[in-house]
Amino acid sequence: MQETPLYSRYAEGPLLEALSDSPAVLIHGPRQSGKTTLARLVGDNLGYSYVSFDDDVARLAAESDPIGFVRRLGEHAVLDEVQRVPSLFTALKQEIDSRRVPGRFLLTGSSQVLLVPTLSDSLAGRLEIIRLHPLSQGEIYSGVPTFLDDLFSGMFSTSNSRRLGEDLAKRITSGGYPAALARSTPRRQANWYRNFIDTQLQRDARDIARISSLDALPRLLTATASQTARLYNLSDLAAPLQLSRPTIGDYVSLLERLFLIDRLAPWHANHLRRLVKTPKLHIGDTGLGCALLGISPPDLDENRSLLGQYMETFVFQELRRQAVRQERPIEFFHYRDKDRVEVDIVIERGNNEVAGVEIKAAETVRPSDFSGLRKLQKAVGPRFTAGVVVYDGEVSAGFGDNLFAVPIRQVL
């Protein structure tokens, strides 16, 4: 059996920092993204005991006597897949309140457990959350990306870099799940992704919601994969599934809770009344999306329209994964107005810095490609730091007024 490599994760530093002063820390993200590996690596180094609630005996014991179970854990403990035992959260609250020790509990979860009101109330003020995404390109290839720092400093020097070319489609279809990347060929990677959905989705869905049509979830996820990087349209998603719009809306929310899709909120300013208020839909990982659609690297390279969609999602997800390294909070949005002028990604750092990123699946950049960024720049005013068109070319160059063309290789 092929062993999954051990990757250095950007989240390790923030995790250690959180454990130094927070009673409980939750690593949450999709299954198989590396949460358990990171938690065990850090926990083993710090002398933590370990319990996984994927183990039926541990789960049943915790459900039968939550308070007693928590009291018997020892000084510090890793509790893996904690969303499977919702009744444990009140016991964790009581234990933390009785003995408030930094780093007492390191939790992992494969769903957004704090969206459940009773759980969020239990650990309010006691829990710090670390989001773990699938692997970034920097984590896969042991790189140290500087793109976000350059974006907010407005500093992109004129330079040349080699095109990704055919390697772009390969990276997109490979995605970022460690176990998939351990497979030796694109076909084997795609097979892992399909099995992942078949074996994990229905079980996780049962854990957190009552689903009347479990077989609809994989089909809905495939539909979202075809709609990635487009405005969220509930009617388009519901049409092939023969389910009501409210039901499909609930299922979309469930997929979001499982970190399998993302809805990117629209950017707005109070004085801009002509902005579209619809979120954009993104599949959570491009490798997963391509596998669901049966798209191989050559297929994607030849289908320029689909490549454009997936390159946008690829860059969006890559920047979100890189944002873990930023010391200041970063938020992501998209921009689109009633005239259909748009910017694929709007990034805010703190309250005073806004930047825009437009993605083009092309080898060249023209001045007209900056029209959306210029409109965003005008709307933002002095808070605007830079606007970048990311493309699969070779030259990084300025286009005036803090606007730049940047090869995708320099983003990764």
Side-chain angles (χ1 to χ4, degrees), residues 84-142:
R84 303 203 72 197
V85 193
S87 58
L88 202 65
F89 282 77
T90 300
L92 289 171
K93 172 185 179 296
Q94 293 178 6
E95 183 67 15
I96 289 171
D97 289 347
S98 68
R99 191 159 55 95
R100 206 176 183 90
V101 178
R104 176 78 173 84
F105 299 109
L106 174 53
L107 317 175
T108 81
S110 296
S111 68
Q112 297 191 43
V113 294
L114 294 188
L115 290 180
V116 180
T118 54
L119 303 189
S120 60
D121 291 345
S122 295
L123 293 179
R126 303 167 180 85
L127 180 72
E128 184 159 341
I129 301 171
I130 303 291
R131 172 70 188 270
L132 191 70
H133 300 269
L135 292 163
S136 70
Q137 295 297 295
E139 290 168 327
I140 294 169
Y141 295 101
S142 302

Side-chain angles (χ1 to χ4, degrees), residues 294-315:
I295 299 294
S296 67
D299 294 335
L300 187 61
D301 198 44
E302 292 174 7
N303 188 333
R304 304 308 293 182
S305 175
L306 192 63
L307 177 62
Q309 287 177 247
Y310 268 81
M311 182 173 167
E312 180 179 336
T313 293
F314 180 67
V315 172

